Amino acid sequence: MDLPDATRRTVLKTLGVAAGVGALATPAAGHDGGLIGHLSKVWAATYQYMDSARAYEHGYVVPGPDGLGPLEDVQEMGHAVCGMGYHFVNRDLIGSTDPRKPQVLAYGVDGDGELTLGAVEYVVPKAGPHETDPPDLFGHDGGREVWAEDSPQEGVWSLHAWVHAPNPDGMFAAFNPRDEFHPEGCTDPREAHEE
């Protein structure tokens, strides 16, 4: 996907804020567009989902305790994860290894109470070629992809990429400490591991 220069600069500035340009400036960054190039394509492909209604229209839904709820009830359903926000899942994409088609979109809540896109998440079953090792979505990234093996959904690899919001803990950290990703009433899966 070719982007106009102004849009490309905006994408790169956003990624620079989110990840820290210095952290991404490695020898690997020169190969195949480098990590910044890969992430800018993810940002461009998912930018349309800044509007959560559009994500919902494209098959990203929020699973809740009583099944799938309508978009306007997402925050009332109370199914937010502390440090991640609300997960919109597109089950048709589970297992895809196309970085521009993430299986999950993670939304926080801004100061006005509106949903705001923060991260994309990839979910790949531990089967076939990925039974023992996760896929390498961004190739030559200097080992910065950190796939989680202990996802709440057993039998899958999961990876967050905070391409739409800065994360002080890192581009690929599972959790974001910023307030908007800790909506009121959220549950923290890390607390269950501590008990």
Side-chain angles (χ1 to χ4, degrees):
M1 170 188 294
D2 290 330
L3 297 172
D5 285 341
T7 302
R8 183 169 171 76
R9 281 191 300 273
T10 301
V11 169
L12 294 176
K13 284 180 185 177
T14 301
L15 290 173
V17 168
V21 175
L24 297 176
T26 67
H31 179 73
D32 191 31
L35 183 56
I36 291 175
H38 289 295
L39 293 173
S40 67
K41 290 176 184 173
V42 172
W43 181 90
T46 57
Y47 181 79
Q48 64 183 319
Y49 302 128
M50 295 293 281
D51 177 359
S52 58
R54 183 172 205 122
Y56 207 79
E57 290 169 3
H58 287 197
Y60 287 94
V61 296
V62 180
D66 300 321
L68 303 177
L71 179 60
E72 58 272 8
D73 293 341
V74 166
Q75 293 184 50
E76 286 75 36
M77 288 171 47
H79 190 64
V81 177
C82 298
M84 295 179 188
Y86 296 93
H87 288 78
F88 285 50
V89 180
N90 187 326
R91 295 182 195 279
D92 292 338
L93 297 176
I94 298 294
S96 168
T97 55
D98 181 345
R100 295 166 298 171
K101 295 180 179 179
Q103 295 80 12
V104 181
L105 304 172
Y107 288 85
V109 179
D110 68 18
D112 295 326
E114 299 295 322
L115 292 172
T116 179
L117 182 58
V120 298
E121 182 179 0
Y122 302 97
V123 179
V124 177
K126 289 182 179 179
H130 306 298
E131 186 170 351
T132 58
D133 294 307
D136 182 8
L137 292 184
F138 302 111
H140 305 36
D141 66 359
R144 284 184 295 278
E145 284 182 31
V146 181
W147 287 84
E149 288 189 71
D150 57 351
S151 172
Q153 301 84 26
E154 290 187 28
V156 300
W157 298 101
S158 67
L159 173 72
H160 287 78
W162 293 89
V163 296
H164 294 283
N167 184 346
D169 290 346
M171 175 64 70
F172 296 113
F175 298 93
N176 191 324
R178 296 180 62 211
D179 288 343
E180 60 262 43
F181 299 102
H182 292 265
E184 187 175 332
C186 63
T187 58
D188 193 335
R190 296 169 290 186
E191 290 175 2
H193 291 296
E194 293 173 4
E195 295 174 359

